[in-house]
């Protein structure tokens, strides 16, 4: 009932332990708290909170328009709804190194298990758009050092994302990844890799976990979990997939209403009321207060 009973520090410790085991951790992107609960129920190992999804949810493009407080608020809503560790996209840290430090503490308070800070120029843009710009290495390293120094729970995962591959090539991405690890990054997110070989090259160059971003319609091919595991990837995210599926279904439903005036032919495509109530745990609330759930849902 209500929220997860697992404290944030325990989620972080479990996340670290799982990463240390070498297990590949699958983290679909939750577009709201309820979808995070569904991700857990289906048996995934973690939940990703995407900046692109938060921007889209607000009707905004992913070009650095969201604020630290908006990201932290949504992160808290999602993280508290699941026993799984949540990894959040913290963009460039929302400012200079001091802002990065504050962002880390705010997100730590929100209950996430980890976050990633990127090396794009602030304000950033979607990692799979052309025309990206990255900061110089000194600035990128200062952001990560500030993030590491600011955390109060040593198990909070500080991941460094680098977008330099699309700007200067793979060799530059590997060099920057190594420098970011030396600055204290616990994991590396190499954005917009061109093929499996590039993921493998980054994996071979650093001794910390590596994340693969399997976003649709982007620069990277959509590799399977098995393919990514074979080249040593440790975390896989599908950041916007559930939102795309949901919005695609919503669009088809609205078209059906416009053309036929009824959604009856699409009932089989909908989550049944009984399944929704089960996911929300109406029965748990009933155990607390029988006046809340005193009815039967028929299939």
């Amino acid at each position: 009932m209500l929220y997860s009973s697992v404290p944030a520090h325990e989620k972080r410790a479990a996340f670290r332990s799982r990463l240390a085991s070498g297990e590949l951790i699958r983290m679909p992107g939750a577009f709201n708290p309820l979808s995070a609960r569904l991700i857990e129920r289906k048996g995934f190992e973690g939940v990703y909170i995407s900046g692109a999804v938060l921007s889209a949810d607000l009707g905004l493009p992913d070009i650095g328009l969201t604020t630290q407080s908006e990201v932290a608020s949504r992160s808290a809503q999602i993280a508290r709804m699941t026993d799984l560790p949540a990894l959040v996209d913290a963009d460039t840290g929302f400012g200079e190194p001091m802002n990065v430090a504050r962002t880390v503490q705010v997100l730590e308070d929100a209950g996430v298990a980890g976050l990633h800070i990127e090396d794009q120029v602030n304000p950033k843009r979607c990692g799979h758009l052309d025309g990206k710009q990255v900061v110089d290495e000194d600035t990128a390293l200062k952001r990560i050092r500030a993030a590491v120094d600011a955390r109060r729970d040593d198990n909070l995962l500080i991941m460094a994302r680098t977008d330099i591959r699309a700007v200067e090539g793979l060799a530059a991405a590997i060099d920057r990844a190594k420098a970011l690890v030396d600055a204290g990054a616990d994991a590396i997110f190499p954005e917009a890799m061109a093929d499996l070989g590039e993921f493998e090259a980054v994996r071979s160059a650093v001794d910390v976990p590596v994340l693969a971003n399997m976003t649709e319609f982007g620069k990277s091919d959509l590799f399977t979990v098995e393919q990514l595991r074979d080249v040593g990837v440790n975390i896989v995210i599908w950041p916007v997939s559930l939102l795309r599926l949901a919005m695609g279904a919503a669009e088809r439903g609205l078209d059906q209403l416009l053309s036929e005036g009824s959604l009856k032919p699409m009932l089989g495509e909908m989550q049944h009321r009984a399944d929704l109530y089960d996911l929300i745990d109406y029965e748990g609330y009933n155990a607390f207060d029988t006046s809340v759930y005193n009815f039967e849902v028929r299939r």
Side-chain angles (χ1 to χ4, degrees):
M1 189 178 74
L2 295 174
Y3 306 131
S4 169
S5 61
V6 180
H9 71 273
E10 291 185 13
K11 295 179 190 177
R12 293 176 192 136
F15 187 37
R16 288 281 197 160
S17 178
R18 239 174 166 157
L19 279 175
S21 75
E23 176 185 358
L24 187 145
I25 298 176
R26 304 166 298 172
M27 306 184 85
F31 61 89
N32 62 12
L34 187 62
S35 63
R37 180 170 281 181
L38 184 60
I39 289 166
E40 178 180 346
R41 177 167 291 192
K42 290 297 182 180
F44 290 91
E45 296 80 36
V47 170
Y48 182 68
I49 303 170
S50 163
V53 165
L54 178 56
S55 296
D57 191 51
L58 294 171
L60 300 171
D62 183 21
I63 53 173
L65 294 175
T66 52
T67 66
Q68 179 203 76
S69 58
E70 287 171 332
V71 172
S73 175
R74 198 57 160 168
S75 296
Q77 291 170 349
I78 290 173
R80 71 190 182 193
M81 190 55 69
T82 174
D83 293 346
L84 297 178
L87 175 67
V88 60
D89 177 1
D91 286 344
T92 61
F94 303 99
E96 300 307 314
M98 185 62 71
N99 301 93
V100 173
R102 181 166 184 256
T103 294
V104 167
Q105 295 196 353
V106 168
L107 290 175
E108 187 176 343
D109 288 344
V112 302
L115 57 99
H116 60 77
I117 303 289
E118 64 197 55
D119 60 359
Q120 281 198 54
V121 170
N122 188 35
K124 54 77 58 82
R125 63 170 57 201
C126 172
H128 289 258
L129 291 177
D130 293 326
K132 291 188 296 184
Q133 293 180 289
V134 295
V135 296
D136 61 85
E137 185 170 290
D138 181 62
T139 302
L141 301 186
K142 283 180 179 177
R143 288 177 182 173
I144 296 304
R145 291 191 188 106
V148 171
D149 289 345
R151 67 180 166 195
R152 294 150 292 177
D153 183 346
D154 288 341
N155 281 326
L156 179 70
L157 190 83
I158 303 297
M159 178 181 289
R161 169 176 147 175
T162 178
D163 286 70
I164 203 170
R165 163 65 183 87
V167 181
E168 298 182 23
L170 178 62
I174 291 173
D175 288 343
R176 179 150 299 186
K178 290 179 179 178
L180 291 165
V181 171
D182 289 343
D186 301 310
I188 292 294
F189 176 169
E191 180 63 299
M193 296 290 99
D195 53 44
L196 281 171
E198 294 197 354
F199 280 114
E200 188 170 22
V202 175
R203 168 69 281 175
S204 299
V206 297
D207 59 359
V208 298
V210 170
L211 176 148
N213 179 9
M214 291 294 99
T215 191
E216 300 83 13
F217 318 113
K219 301 289 186 182
S220 301
D221 288 336
L222 297 179
F223 304 113
T224 67
V225 168
E226 291 73 19
Q227 287 175 307
L228 293 166
R229 182 184 291 116
D230 287 345
V231 297
V233 167
N234 308 95
I235 302 174
V236 185
I237 60 170
W238 297 268
V240 194
S241 307
L242 294 189
L243 177 67
R244 289 188 175 116
L245 289 166
M247 290 300 291
E251 185 170 2
R252 290 188 292 275
L254 293 172
D255 289 341
Q256 170 71 21
L257 275 178
L258 287 173
S259 62
E260 304 296 333
S262 170
L263 288 173
K264 188 174 182 179
M266 302 187 74
L267 290 179
E269 301 177 34
M270 296 184 186
Q271 182 184 48
H272 194 282
R273 182 190 297 267
D275 295 325
L276 174 61
Y277 284 3
D278 180 56
L279 186 61
I280 293 173
D281 189 26
Y282 263 90
E283 287 283 11
Y285 290 88
N286 181 47
F288 183 80
D289 184 350
T290 55
S291 69
V292 173
Y293 188 89
N294 53 9
F295 52 86
E296 183 176 330
V297 179
R298 296 181 179 179
R299 284 194 174 274

